[in-house]
């Protein structure tokens, strides 16, 4: 199969650029006590996760959902999984408990309710579920307050039959995309000092705290150098996006959205079939690859309207690639990644954990 045989819209991966990203990240962790736990939510593709782990210096895999963890376990990607997110809602704790019978699974928790649900589910099938107390380090999202509130929850986890306290996590998501390096560094360090001082309180209380998990693509080399952080949850680095490409980090854009030109309604405009249903714009419009002076004017459901230099020879039927602005939700719109080696399609990888696999499992 050749590039021009791929039905559009479709995601295409530059296999060599992806491999360079994987090797660059692995090289950083090869020299450190801190290791990588690559975040699966960025790409949801077992074939990529296998390659990230094969490059070495990883503790296991990070997931955002129970479904992702189920895919990782079913595909035999890793026996060490962290769901770096709260697990609550119908049937979820029970599914984690069933996974705990097969793999070393750890789950983030920030409430007594989540702890109680996990413990009950673990006892029901006589397993132990690992728990990291999720500490809020500044991102207005999940996480219990650092210090005393986190310590109190850690005590509850440690004393709950069916659970095993493994440590803490704290995601400095408010820092990862800060453009200025020194401001990013200051924000990440301040956040991590709260996580590390909480870890010290937990240990001084005589409780276990082997894992202190944090970090993302924008902070891997800041948080990853802080004494006491044991692993970094970066995910986007492997294929990247234009939002992260603005930062001073050594990773290349390695995937794009392939579209077909449907119309050239005027000398300065063309329209492709790669609209909202093929890529998201929550981090801004995608960028046009390899056409000097071209930019995306707007996305609509089935169309991308692109501004072209008037001298451009682009015509209906031609192909245009767009660089996505946000990897995670863009990947989640697709079923497959077409892996390119030059103009050849070297492989087609299923995005096995995309969407809501648990809904598919309930279809009659
Ligand atoms: C809990 C958690 N950890 C880590 C990350 C890091 O991801 P990225 O590589 O995109 O910075 C994210 C991203 O949203 C996250 O939600």
């Amino acid at each position: 199969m050749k590039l021009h045989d791929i039905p559009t819209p479709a995601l295409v991966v530059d296999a060599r650029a992806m491999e360079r990203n994987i090797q660059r990240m692995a090289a950083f962790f090869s020299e450190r006590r801190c290791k990588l736990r690559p975040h699966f939510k960025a790409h949801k593709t077992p074939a990529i996760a296998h390659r990230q782990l094969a490059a070495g210096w990883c503790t296991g895999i990070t997931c955002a959902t129970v479904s992702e963890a189920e895919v990782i376990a079913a595909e035999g990607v890793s026996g060490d999984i962290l769901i770096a997110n709260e697990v609550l809602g119908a049937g979820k704790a029970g599914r984690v408990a069933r996974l705990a019978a097969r793999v070393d699974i750890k789950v983030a928790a920030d409430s007594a309710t989540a702890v109680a649900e996990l413990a009950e589910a673990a006892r029901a099938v006589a397993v132990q579920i690992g728990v990291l107390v999720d500490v809020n380090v500044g991102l207005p999202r999940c996480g219990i307050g650092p210090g005393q509130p986190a310590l109190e929850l850690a005590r509850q986890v440690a004393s709950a039959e069916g659970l095993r306290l493994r440590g803490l996590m704290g995601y400095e998501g408010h820092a990862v995309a800060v453009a200025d390096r020194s401001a990013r560094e200051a924000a990440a360090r301040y956040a991590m000092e709260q996580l590390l001082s909480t870890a010290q309180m937990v240990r001084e209380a005589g409780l276990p705290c082997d894992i202190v998990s944090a970090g993302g693509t924008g902070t891997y080399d800041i948080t990853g150098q802080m004494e006491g952080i044991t692993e970094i949850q970066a995910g986007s680095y492997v294929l990247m996006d234009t939002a992260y490409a603005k930062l001073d980090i050594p990773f290349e854009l390695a995937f794009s959205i392939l579209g077909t030109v449907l119309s050239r309604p005027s000398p300065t405009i063309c329209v492709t079939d790669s609209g909202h249903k093929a890529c998201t714009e929550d981090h801004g419009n995608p960028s046009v690859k390899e056409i000097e002076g071209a930019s995306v004017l707007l996305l609509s459901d089935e169309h991308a309207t692109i501004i072209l230099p008037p001298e451009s020879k682009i015509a209906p039927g031609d192909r245009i690639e767009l660089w996505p602005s946000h990897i995670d939700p863009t990947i989640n719109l697709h079923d497959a990644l077409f892996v390119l080696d030059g103009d050849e399609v070297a492989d087609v990888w299923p995005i096995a954990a995309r969407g809501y696999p648990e809904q598919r499992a309930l279809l009659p």
Side-chain angles (χ1 to χ4, degrees), residues 264-275:
R264 179 94 194 249
S266 81
T268 56
I269 295 284
C270 80
V271 180
T272 65
D273 57 1
S274 38

Side-chain angles (χ1 to χ4, degrees), residues 18 33 64 68 88 112 124 131 139 142 187 199 201 208 215 241 247 285 311 313 317 327 330 334 355 360:
M18 182 191 78
R33 200 129 29 107
E68 288 176 359
L88 280 153
V131 173
L139 175 69
C142 300
M201 283 174 76
D241 55 36
L247 300 189
N285 276 337
E311 68 277 11
K313 301 273 184 291
I327 170 174
T330 295
H334 292 257
R360 296 200 283 277

Side-chain angles (χ1 to χ4, degrees), residues 285-318:
N285 276 337
S287 306
V288 181
K289 182 179 170 185
E290 283 169 3
I291 305 177
E292 189 79 26
S295 61
V296 172
L297 176 67
L298 67 97
L299 298 182
S300 42
D301 290 348
E302 311 286 351
H303 303 100
T305 301
I306 296 172
I307 300 175
L308 290 174
E311 68 277 11
S312 164
K313 301 273 184 291
I314 289 287
D318 289 348

